[in-house]
Amino acid sequence: MPSLELDDWQYDVGGVLIGADTSVQVLETSGLGRPPVRESDVEQPSMDGLFAGPDYFGGRQIQVDAAIRIPGNAAACHDMVATLQAATDASDVRLVGGQGMALRVKRPGRPVKRLTVRTRRLAPEYRQVIHGYVPLDMEFLAHDPTWYADEESITELPLGWLTGGGFAAPVVAPIYVQDGTVAADRPGWVTNNGTANAWPIIRITGPCANVTITHVASGRSLAFPTLNLDAGRWVEIDTRPGYRTVTWDNGGNAPGPSPASRIDLFSIPPGTSEMRWTAFDSTNSARLRVTWRDAYIAL
């Protein structure tokens, strides 16, 4: 299902359009700035002051003060509340750990950005519903407080392309070599146009075995020494906060990476960087696909 088109001052709440030029007027929204901080400062024994520990962001709480305005139509007001409740109470989100719904926001001069949220409050006040007016308080919690681009970015990298370095045995024809004088023209380069680390979803399609994926700039790698993929089968490595899973194409759990591999650190920093991967593949038909959303500190 394609995403709703948003104009300035509009919101997409799980597929329901609210905000400017709709029947649900948004009066005020809070929680769009810096998310709450989980501090870990420690008192210094026998000394004044504190030792400054690391600060971590907590979940982002979004409060929306809105009002349904459909003059003279109480039934339509009730229908709108029911529509919002159906969108925010979906059991495949509410009852499944780690799942959330999309909250998309469009502000003047800014592209559409999104959060993955759970609904914590949807409270209509029906005192004036007979006049077609229903104040509405909504509250959402984004467990990952980072803002993300509305559109996904995708790049695919076959094993046969070389972006640098040399050959690794066994070398099997056909081998395709590109000089790669321009980084953007070479497969394996990923660009995060945002200001925060982006978290990729990596899909490896066989046939291949003994896979290692490396983010060149950071040197971080994900090694799967026991992975053995038949032709047409694939596994997906989801590095996103709240997910961080390795699954087969049928949804089952696939073999995880080696103990030295850190899925929770395998991010794409702002700017352009390179991904490489190695594996054993006698057919030169295996593929690696990287999907991510640009990530932003601010809306």
Side-chain angles (χ1 to χ4, degrees):
M1 180 177 173
S3 298
L4 296 173
E5 293 290 333
L6 298 186
D7 294 328
D8 289 347
W9 304 110
Q10 289 185 335
Y11 303 73
D12 174 359
V13 181
V16 180
L17 184 66
I18 67 172
D21 300 321
T22 74
S23 60
V24 183
Q25 299 180 10
V26 175
L27 309 176
E28 182 62 45
T29 307
S30 61
L32 302 180
R34 193 171 191 261
V37 172
R38 293 186 288 114
E39 53 84 17
S40 53
D41 299 339
V42 179
E43 293 184 358
Q44 299 191 87
S46 304
M47 296 184 67
D48 295 331
L50 302 171
F51 173 79
D55 288 345
Y56 299 100
F57 288 133
R60 181 186 294 277
Q61 292 184 320
I62 307 287
Q63 287 89 27
V64 180
D65 182 11
I68 301 171
R69 295 176 185 268
I70 310 176
N73 195 335
C77 292
H78 282 287
D79 289 344
M80 176 52 70
V81 173
T83 298
L84 284 167
Q85 189 158 343
T88 56
D89 287 356
S91 59
D92 58 350
V93 171
R94 183 171 54 87
L95 299 179
V96 180
Q99 293 298 313
M101 71 172 193
L103 174 64
R104 302 166 60 236
V105 180
K106 177 68 172 76
R107 288 301 175 101
R110 313 294 289 176
V112 176
K113 293 179 184 174
R114 64 165 59 202
L115 298 165
T116 299
V117 302
R118 287 283 186 94
T119 305
R120 289 293 180 257
R121 179 177 170 83
L122 197 153
E125 206 280 275
Y126 287 119
R127 183 178 304 174
Q128 301 180 67
V129 68
I130 192 172
H131 304 297
Y133 179 77
V134 177
L136 184 64
D137 290 333
M138 293 181 282
E139 182 175 318
F140 307 97
L141 175 63
H143 294 84
D144 176 4
T146 306
W147 292 98
Y148 290 97
D150 199 38
E151 299 295 330
E152 291 182 334
S153 299
I154 301 175
T155 190
E156 187 171 282
L157 178 61
L159 266 175
W161 293 85
L162 300 179
T163 58
F167 293 93
V171 179
V172 178
I175 296 295
Y176 301 95
V177 182
Q178 184 183 33
D179 58 12
T181 54
V182 179
D185 293 335
R186 294 189 284 170
W189 288 81
V190 295
T191 299
N192 172 11
N193 292 305
T195 55
N197 288 341
W199 299 96
I201 300 173
I202 302 168
R203 178 176 293 189
I204 306 164
T205 303
C208 60
N210 193 14
V211 175
T212 298
I213 309 159
T214 302
H215 181 260
V216 176
S218 66
R220 297 188 180 116
S221 63
L222 300 176
F224 297 84
T226 64
L227 181 63
N228 194 333
L229 281 171
D230 295 330
R233 294 214 65 185
W234 50 264
V235 295
E236 195 164 82
I237 303 111
D238 192 338
T239 71
R240 294 176 299 169
Y243 296 87
R244 293 183 175 144
T245 55
V246 183
T247 54
W248 289 109
D249 45 14
N250 60 12
N253 291 329
S258 65
S261 302
R262 293 285 301 273
I263 291 181
D264 60 324
L265 297 179
F266 200 82
S267 60
I268 301 173
T272 299
S273 52
E274 186 180 7
M275 291 280 192
R276 295 183 186 177
W277 74 300
T278 60
F280 292 107
D281 170 22
S282 60
T283 67
N284 193 42
S285 60
R287 295 291 184 270
L288 179 141
R289 188 178 74 187
V290 184
T291 304
W292 73 99
R293 294 182 191 271
D294 298 337
Y296 298 85
I297 295 172
L299 177 61

